[in-house]
Amino acid sequence: MKSRRGREPGLRKRAVLYFTAFVLFILCVIYLFQVVLLDVFYRSVRNREIRKVMETVKSGADTGLSIEALDELSSQYRLCILLLSVDNGNFTKVYACHSNPDCVLHNLSDDELKRLYSEAAESGDYKETVIGGKGLNDDEGDPPDRFRSVIRTGLFTSGDGTSYVVYLDARLTPLNSGVMTLKSQFSCLTLAILLTAAIAGYVFASKISAPLSRINDTAKRMASGDLSLQFPVEGYRETRELAGTLNYAVSEIRRSDKLQRELIANVSHDLRTPLTMISGYAEIMKDIPGENTPENLQVIIDEAKHLSELVNDMLDLSRIEAGVKKPEITVFDITSTVNEVLARYSALMTHDGYDISFVGTPDTINVRADRTMIIQVLYNLINNAVNYTGEDKKVIVTESLHKDEEGREKVRITVKDTGEGIDPGHLHEIWDRYYKVDKDHKRAAKGTGIGLSIVKSILEAHSAVFGVESSRTNGSSFWFELGVEKA
Ligand code: ADP
């Protein structure tokens, strides 16, 4: 086990780390836009607004902009407007609006206004001039932001030939103090948000990791052999589903464990009984001269056969399940194969009165499968039918053709008996290894509880569809389907 110090960071640590990193990133983006680039954005927006006002005033001179409209423009965009008509160097006031009490524009002398006019005329009808609070001729360096104005001077001529000059005093509200406030607020905000993110990450991760830790603890205790435990079903949907799946897996292990115990009890009983019979009869035949009869010998032969069947069944199943025994696929005729298998039951039919019939097509139906394995499936199903059929000793094997949902031709083999059937509650369990409906293991009820699991493993290895229908009155019908191979 790794030492605590050398361990990778857990879910909680990672969540705290990722949450804070994410929040830090978001804060950086906000800082960039809200603090670093704020001034740039502000200036560009303000310039756009002022240009718009300038255009509106110019076009208004032509279309007759009312005083009210100019007042509204001035207050909406927080700037002062001065509109003068120019005639032979004489300036006549057309309109003036004061929306800003600190306005520099309205404190400018006529000379200063004329100078701005000629500067604008020199630079092609438009000029922006930065002016300090003390006036145009301030030469004591840059004025403080509080007194700073940008006077925009625009010249134009209206449709009736009148020349105009418009001055806009657009104050750029100093942002420095706002930015400083934002900066100091930002550090507190960053700390608070980072702390909240870390706590949120920790709480969120704890909610996920706590049930996982408990599942882990339960699994460790289970590994030491206590299969009676249950995984706690709690937390989020995914962890609840995980616990549910693990509980299902454990219940399956428990069931298999129980079946295995039963098998050991059954198999040891099954092995012991024929062995006792074999050794008992052999000793009698050896010690008592008159007992060396063919009947006694037959008992030994039958018991030895039963023993080898038992061992073979167990070996077959473990080989198929371990994947050692793989289907060797060939194309063969299923009709003749069923007939061949049924022929081996003729002795049973003539001596023990069994009525095993076959209802099939006379035609050849080719299938692609492992013939030996399919013969084993048929044997296991027919043996079960013979063992569990009713007093009329009837077993019917049917072969029928049909098309599946995708239009592929299938042949279905059904083995039906007239026995007591299987309780619906046990139907899904009979395919399990070692499962026997008859728990009071009677020697008379033959079998090891492995036959149907061999059938299931073989048919699954062929990806074949199979099933069973059973009722107390009609007996059981076991069936499987194989794809028909076109000639
Ligand atoms: P077994 O060797 O005990 O027959 P199987 O795996 O072949 O083992 O069958 C499992 C159990 O399913 C049997 O013990 C029996 O209870 C039940 N079963 C199988 N086939 C039939 C059948 N045709 N009719 C009634 N019960 C059956």
Side-chain angles (χ1 to χ4, degrees):
M1 199 177 273
K2 279 187 182 177
S3 72
R4 216 181 152 73
R5 201 188 293 170
R7 275 208 316 213
E8 278 181 46
L11 195 62
R12 284 195 190 103
K13 255 193 202 160
R14 276 178 199 269
V16 169
L17 211 72
Y18 295 154
F19 264 63
T20 35
F22 177 69
V23 165
L24 205 64
F25 170 73
I26 300 282
L27 286 172
C28 285
V29 174
I30 295 176
Y31 184 83
L32 182 71
F33 283 91
Q34 285 290 295
V35 178
V36 180
L37 299 177
L38 184 67
D39 199 49
V40 178
F41 281 135
Y42 169 72
R43 280 172 196 279
S44 101
V45 170
R46 191 78 178 122
N47 279 336
R48 226 176 304 135
E49 283 176 1
I50 296 163
R51 238 173 282 133
K52 196 173 157 195
V53 174
M54 181 70 84
E55 288 310 312
T56 317
V57 174
K58 277 183 182 177
S59 58
D62 263 345
T63 53
L65 200 66
S66 67
I67 302 290
E68 289 78 23
L70 285 166
D71 281 347
E72 203 183 316
L73 267 181
S74 154
S75 71
Q76 186 186 348
Y77 294 104
R78 288 162 282 113
L79 40 77
C80 297
I81 306 172
L82 179 63
L83 180 65
L84 308 175
S85 63
V86 185
D87 185 19
N88 284 332
N90 297 321
F91 286 19
T92 318
K93 193 195 271 182
V94 180
Y95 171 79
C97 169
H98 262 295
S99 81
N100 184 357
D102 296 331
C103 174
V104 175
L105 177 63
H106 294 91
N107 297 324
L108 296 181
S109 63
D110 283 352
D111 285 346
E112 285 166 337
L113 287 174
K114 278 183 182 158
R115 187 177 149 189
L116 287 176
Y117 169 82
S118 37
E119 274 178 14
E122 271 165 32
S123 58
D125 297 350
Y126 183 75
K127 173 91 175 136
E128 287 177 18
T129 317
V130 179
I131 297 180
K134 290 175 197 162
L136 194 58
N137 298 319
D138 179 16
D139 50 12
E140 293 170 17
D142 275 351
D145 268 350
R146 187 152 61 87
F147 301 118
R148 235 163 114 97
S149 262
V150 180
I151 305 285
R152 289 148 210 261
T153 315
L155 312 183
F156 62 97
T157 311
S158 69
D160 60 9
T162 319
S163 297
Y164 291 97
V165 54
V166 58
Y167 303 93
L168 299 181
D169 179 343
R171 183 152 296 243
L172 292 176
T173 313
L175 290 178
N176 283 2
S177 59
V179 171
M180 284 310 289
T181 322
L182 269 180
K183 271 186 187 163
S184 65
Q185 231 186 24
F186 217 85
S187 39
C188 301
L189 205 71
T190 305
L191 265 179
I193 292 178
L194 280 181
L195 204 71
T196 317
I199 293 171
Y202 186 83
V203 172
F204 178 67
S206 299
K207 283 209 160 215
I208 299 173
S209 73
L212 285 178
S213 301
R214 278 191 282 278
I215 287 175
N216 192 24
D217 289 345
T218 315
K220 278 184 190 153
R221 278 160 61 206
M222 267 183 193
S224 59
D226 188 356
L227 283 182
S228 65
L229 293 171
Q230 279 278 326
F231 288 98
V233 181
E234 57 183 343
Y236 293 112
R237 183 171 54 83
E238 285 80 358
T239 37
R240 286 203 310 274
E241 275 175 9
L242 174 67
T245 313
L246 288 170
N247 278 332
Y248 174 70
V250 171
S251 74
E252 285 298 298
I253 294 172
R254 250 184 252 134
R255 208 157 67 93
S256 164
D257 200 47
K258 190 166 151 256
L259 289 173
Q260 219 149 339
R261 270 184 239 276
E262 278 172 18
L263 170 88
I264 292 169
N266 289 356
V267 168
S268 54
H269 178 269
D270 279 357
L271 288 177
R272 211 168 341 112
T273 315
L275 280 174
T276 317
M277 300 270 276
I278 290 168
S279 61
Y281 271 75
E283 270 171 30
I284 291 169
M285 285 164 74
K286 189 186 100 192
D287 295 343
I288 308 168
E291 287 298 318
N292 198 346
T293 61
E295 289 80 21
N296 286 349
L297 212 57
Q298 191 58 46
V299 172
I300 294 178
I301 292 168
D302 286 347
E303 293 302 330
K305 213 169 116 196
H306 180 66
L307 258 184
S308 75
E309 267 171 18
L310 188 71
V311 173
N312 282 342
D313 270 6
M314 290 196 286
L315 280 177
D316 278 349
L317 183 64
S318 56
R319 277 201 212 112
I320 297 169
E321 285 195 340
V324 178
K325 201 171 169 183
K326 293 225 165 64
E328 282 172 28
I329 306 292
T330 54
V331 175
F332 62 91
D333 174 21
I334 187 79
T335 314
S336 59
T337 308
V338 176
N339 276 318
E340 196 182 299
V341 171
L342 289 180
R344 297 187 201 167
Y345 286 87
S346 57
L348 207 65
M349 288 162 78
T350 37
H351 294 122
D352 297 334
Y354 279 95
D355 174 7
I356 307 174
S357 54
F358 177 47
V359 184
T361 60
D363 310 325
T364 301
I365 300 174
N366 281 333
V367 293
R368 181 182 281 275
D370 183 317
R371 189 165 183 271
T372 319
M373 284 187 170
I374 296 300
I375 287 177
Q376 194 169 5
V377 167
L378 287 167
Y379 265 126
N380 288 0
L381 294 183
I382 297 169
N383 278 347
N384 276 351
V386 167
N387 284 336
Y388 298 103
T389 195
E391 294 201 337
D392 58 0
K393 295 191 170 180
K394 256 190 170 182
V395 173
I396 307 159
V397 182
T398 325
E399 179 190 71
S400 59
L401 286 167
H402 72 100
K403 291 214 163 125
D404 70 3
E405 289 149 7
E406 281 138 37
R408 287 176 302 208
E409 197 164 20
K410 298 270 171 182
V411 58
R412 177 184 278 219
I413 306 292
T414 310
V415 180
K416 180 174 166 32
D417 63 58
T418 57
E420 287 179 11
I422 304 158
D423 195 80
H426 294 299
L427 263 185
H428 67 283
E429 293 168 317
I430 56 170
W431 304 97
D432 288 345
R433 225 182 322 174
Y434 318 134
Y435 187 81
K436 299 181 96 179
V437 176
D438 177 16
K439 292 282 183 222
D440 315 321
H441 182 67
K442 289 187 200 126
R443 180 80 180 90
K446 283 193 186 174
T448 53
I450 297 178
L452 285 181
S453 26
I454 294 178
V455 169
K456 182 181 167 199
S457 306
I458 291 177
L459 293 174
E460 278 178 351
H462 282 81
S463 308
V465 191
F466 60 95
V468 56
E469 276 97 44
S470 188
S471 79
R472 285 286 179 218
T473 44
N474 287 327
S476 313
S477 289
F478 284 84
W479 58 268
F480 65 92
E481 287 182 1
L482 294 171
V484 174
E485 195 68 10
K486 290 269 173 350

